[in-house]
Every structure is written in structure tokens, then in C-alpha cells.
Amino acid sequence: MPRKFIKRFMPNHDVIKRQKALKVFGNVLYNPNLWCLNRRSAAGAFAVGLFMAFVPLPSQMIMSAGLAIVCGVNLPLAVALVWISNPITMPVMFYFAYKVGAFAMNVPAQGFHFELSWEFLLHQMHTIGPPFLLGCLICGVISAILGYFGIKGLWRYSVVRSWQKRQLR
């Protein structure tokens, strides 16, 4: 069952409650619905986490936690899925998002050399900014939809398979 598989990788909720960055949410973290794991909460957490993975801001985890609280989905899973965009995968994901945005805006993709500095970001934001942000939005929405329905389908498949195994016994 997906629940057992997902629970194996989820962090303990006491550890998450002690995170300094999440103290801004106060007593809302004690809502038991944020910690339960069922088909609805897991699918919603995948949607929230995958969407926030494409947000090009450094506070993705905090925004993912806030959106998970607002949507009432599994908080640890939504926060953990943001790490799909880690320092290794982030350049590839964001370059792909830029290409998608340039294609959607019908703008030729410009070649550029990426530097991790504020000067580079401020200088390049007027040329690559609009296609990049649109591409991040498109990729975030599509990955959230695919993640939501993918987990719902996988969960349903797992339940049906376990029913069939039970009937054969």
C-alpha cells in the first residue's frame, strides 16, 4: 500500500514542529489533519510540493508549508517534495522552465551563461525574466496536476490490487 511506502520516508512530525522557520505558523501545526496520511491528503501534498518546487524563490519550504496548511493536506509530505528542486536538479529544472516559457511566449530562447549572483539576476531579469517566470508557472501547474492525479491513480491501483489478493485467499 502506498501509505506504508510513503510513511517510511516521511519525517517525524515532532521534528517538523521544532523547526524554527515553521514557528510562524504557531498552533496551527497541531491540527491532526496536517499529519494524517490518506489518499486525499497525499495527492494534495504532492500537488502542493511539486508546484512549489518550481517557485524560483529561496523560501520554497515555508511557502509549501503555508499552502499545505491552507489546503489541509499532509504537511511533511508537501514540505519534503519541495526538495525535488535541490541544488543539483535546480539548474536543469529552471532551464527547462525557461525554455517552456520562451516557447509559450513565442520568443527565441537566448543563450546565457548562468552565474549565481544578485548582479547577474538583476541584469538578466528584463530579458530572461518573463519567459522564465511563465515557464515556472506552466511547469509548476502541470507537475502539480500530474502529481495529484498520479498519486490518486497509484493509490487506487494499490487498493484494488490488495482487494484482489484478499479475494484469492
Side-chain angles (χ1 to χ4, degrees), residues 6 37-50 73-74 77 81 143-153 155:
I6 293 172
L37 187 62
N38 54 36
R39 182 174 48 187
R40 181 197 161 281
S41 69
F46 263 78
V48 167
L50 291 175
V73 298
N74 189 281
L77 194 56
L81 279 167
S143 66
I145 290 170
L146 289 175
Y148 180 82
F149 289 112
I151 290 300
K152 275 199 167 271
W155 201 290

Side-chain angles (χ1 to χ4, degrees), residues 46-65:
F46 263 78
V48 167
L50 291 175
F51 178 77
M52 285 298 163
F54 279 96
V55 172
L57 294 174
S59 58
Q60 292 171 320
M61 288 177 61
I62 295 170
M63 291 187 298
S64 178

Side-chain angles (χ1 to χ4, degrees), residues 8 14 40 44 50 77 82 95 98 100 104-105 111 129 136 140 144-145 158 160 162 165:
R8 212 176 333 157
D14 292 327
R40 181 197 161 281
L50 291 175
L77 194 56
V82 169
Y95 184 69
Y98 169 70
V100 168
M105 291 179 71
C136 285
I145 290 170
S158 175
V160 168
S162 67
K165 283 182 181 179

Side-chain angles (χ1 to χ4, degrees), residues 15-148:
V15 173
I16 291 178
K17 286 179 185 178
R18 285 184 294 211
Q19 293 293 320
K20 291 180 184 178
L22 297 178
K23 295 290 183 189
V24 296
F25 298 116
N27 291 334
V28 176
L29 292 178
Y30 297 107
N31 181 357
N33 291 331
L34 298 176
W35 307 101
C36 72
L37 187 62
N38 54 36
R39 182 174 48 187
R40 181 197 161 281
S41 69
F46 263 78
V48 167
L50 291 175
F51 178 77
M52 285 298 163
F54 279 96
V55 172
L57 294 174
S59 58
Q60 292 171 320
M61 288 177 61
I62 295 170
M63 291 187 298
S64 178
L67 192 57
I69 289 170
V70 169
C71 295
V73 298
N74 189 281
L75 179 67
L77 194 56
V79 171
L81 279 167
V82 169
W83 278 97
I84 288 174
S85 65
N86 57 53
I88 295 170
T89 62
M90 194 178 296
V92 175
M93 288 175 60
F94 286 162
Y95 184 69
F96 177 73
Y98 169 70
K99 290 287 218 177
V100 168
F103 177 76
M105 291 179 71
N106 201 17
V107 174
Q110 299 176 358
F112 62 92
H113 175 68
F114 182 75
E115 295 177 23
L116 190 57
S117 67
W118 284 110
E119 294 81 21
F120 170 79
L121 291 176
L122 293 175
H123 182 263
Q124 294 292 328
M125 193 48 74
H126 70 280
T127 58
I128 65 169
F132 172 65
L133 294 176
L134 179 64
C136 285
L137 179 66
I138 291 170
C139 290
V141 169
I142 289 173
S143 66
I145 290 170
L146 289 175
Y148 180 82

